[in-house]
Each structure stands twice: as C-alpha cells, then as structure tokens.
Amino acid sequence: MQITSEEAGSGGRYVGRVEGMEQPAIMTFSRASASLIIIDHTEVPADMRGTGAGQALAEHAVAEARKGGWKIIPLCPFMKAQMDRHPDWNDVRKS
C-alpha cells in the first residue's frame, strides 16, 4: 500500500492506496499545535477490510510522529485500540 500525506490549514489526512482498488483508506487528523496531532477518524473501504490497511495507516501515523517529534491524541476508536495494543508506541502517545 502506498501512503501519502495531505495537509491543509490545521488538519490533514493519510491516504492509503492499493493498486486496483478504487477507494483509498483514510486516516484524518487535526493539528492541535506544532507538537501535537489528534487522530479523529479512520475509514477503510469494504473491499480493503482485512488487508491490514488500517494497521498500515496507524503505523504510518506513528512513524510520522516520531520523525516530526510530535505526540498523538488517539480520539479515533480504531487508533486508540491500536495504540492500546502497541505499548511500544507510548513514546508518541499523549497521555
């Protein structure tokens, strides 16, 4: 899956595309400050469910946070569940 980042103003999204699939998987976020993002929604189309697309978006978000030096507030239930399952991501989780 190819993941790209799109930002506009105080928000953005990570978009995951798989060749041959029409709709992308999307994870949206709001930038609360230069060092904090709030992940508020993850959407995986029906034909991509069970492929690991949501997990790939979550891993990408964590990698971007580490690279950018910011923290994540996982408001999205999916992202919160992923962060709960991965205590090794606590370095980027805002508590």
Side-chain angles (χ1 to χ4, degrees):
M1 179 164 63
Q2 179 182 357
I3 300 175
T4 57
S5 299
E6 301 173 357
E7 285 198 54
S10 64
R13 64 187 192 158
Y14 301 123
V15 181
R17 297 185 189 281
V18 174
E19 190 175 330
M21 294 192 178
E22 189 174 320
Q23 298 292 332
I26 298 169
M27 178 175 279
T28 62
F29 62 87
S30 299
R31 187 164 294 283
S33 72
S35 61
L36 182 66
I37 67 167
I38 301 166
I39 295 181
D40 51 24
H41 182 71
T42 303
E43 184 175 330
V44 176
D47 61 344
M48 289 178 76
R49 291 196 181 127
T51 66
Q55 178 68 25
L57 289 171
E59 290 171 355
H60 182 80
V62 169
E64 289 294 297
R66 286 178 174 150
K67 185 169 60 172
W70 62 71
K71 300 283 187 183
I72 296 171
I73 295 175
L75 185 61
C76 164
F78 174 80
M79 187 63 179
K80 181 179 180 327
Q82 290 302 311
M83 293 192 95
D84 289 346
R85 287 186 192 117
H86 294 275
D88 54 312
W89 294 357
N90 284 342
D91 62 312
V92 297
R93 185 178 195 155
K94 177 74 173 166
S95 44

